Amino acid sequence: KLTLFKVKNANDYSHTGWASVHPERFKNTEYEHQIETEEVEACTLMEAIESCKITSLDLLQIDTEGFDFEIIKMLDFKKITPLIIHYEHIHLSNKDKKKAGILLNMNEFFSFKSKNDTIALSKKLITPQFIITYIFVRFSDTIRSRIKFFRFLK
């Protein structure tokens, strides 16, 4: 069992179901004093993977409101290695952000940070074919956006 802290009477649809295992996640938000708790059944990431008999994983998407590094630590990289791990780092401490990067690097991932998230790509995914495809897609997107821009100017 696990205690889940969740928003009571969300003002916005996007906050419906907003929950965390960390009660401090809601400090300095409009919901700071509108939190309720719920006891929920829980298991580790590897227990879930093993019970579902998952043998390969393309994308591991993590958005657990500050518990993301704990989820990454649960992954047994010797048993299963996702090609891509996408997680929210904005709610992690600087120490945990650094530790997550080190753990992923030790397990052969390249990590790229954006404003709130990190995308970690398995080094085995980075092949010449991947790079050429990526460049082609980015170049195509750039051309399409320029065409739309110039049509807008007319």
Side-chain angles (χ1 to χ4, degrees):
K1 290 241 182 218
L2 184 72
T3 301
L4 195 61
F5 300 87
K6 59 187 203 172
V7 171
K8 180 173 41 177
N9 304 321
N11 299 329
D12 182 312
Y13 175 76
S14 67
H15 295 145
T16 303
W18 194 18
S20 177
V21 296
H22 298 299
E24 64 276 2
R25 168 62 189 96
F26 302 102
K27 284 188 178 172
N28 301 318
T29 72
E30 63 185 293
Y31 301 110
E32 185 171 8
H33 302 292
Q34 298 178 50
I35 303 302
E36 61 186 358
T37 61
E38 182 179 347
E39 294 295 315
V40 296
E41 294 294 324
C43 66
T44 68
L45 176 61
M46 288 310 298
E47 287 170 345
I49 287 171
E50 289 167 0
S51 72
C52 293
K53 298 180 176 34
I54 296 171
T55 57
S56 67
L57 195 55
D58 292 334
L59 171 66
L60 176 59
Q61 172 67 44
I62 308 169
D63 183 354
T64 54
E65 301 303 321
F67 200 69
D68 303 58
F69 179 49
E70 297 303 316
I71 300 295
I72 294 168
K73 289 191 306 187
M74 290 179 196
L75 192 60
D76 184 343
F77 290 95
K78 289 183 177 81
K79 290 184 179 178
I80 191 163
T81 302
L83 295 176
I84 303 168
I85 300 174
H86 181 224
Y87 66 96
E88 190 177 46
H89 65 247
I90 190 72
H91 305 300
L92 299 179
S93 68
N94 287 333
K95 183 178 176 182
D96 281 351
K97 286 178 194 175
K98 187 173 183 173
K99 285 182 177 181
I102 291 168
L103 178 61
L104 291 167
N105 188 48
M106 285 174 32
N107 285 283
E108 301 295 313
F109 282 85
F110 287 116
S111 295
F112 306 91
K113 288 183 172 50
S114 66
K115 182 179 177 183
N116 298 328
D117 299 335
T118 296
I119 297 173
L121 300 176
S122 171
K123 289 180 181 178
K124 64 184 167 190
L125 182 64
I126 311 297
T127 63
Q129 180 182 3
F130 174 87
I131 293 168
I132 290 168
T133 302
Y134 176 80
I135 291 169
F136 176 77
V137 168
R138 295 296 301 175
F139 183 72
S140 298
D141 287 346
T142 300
I143 297 294
R144 274 194 294 278
S145 71
R146 298 301 186 272
I147 290 170
K148 287 179 187 176
F149 177 73
F150 288 118
R151 284 184 184 156
F152 173 77
L153 291 178
K154 289 183 179 183

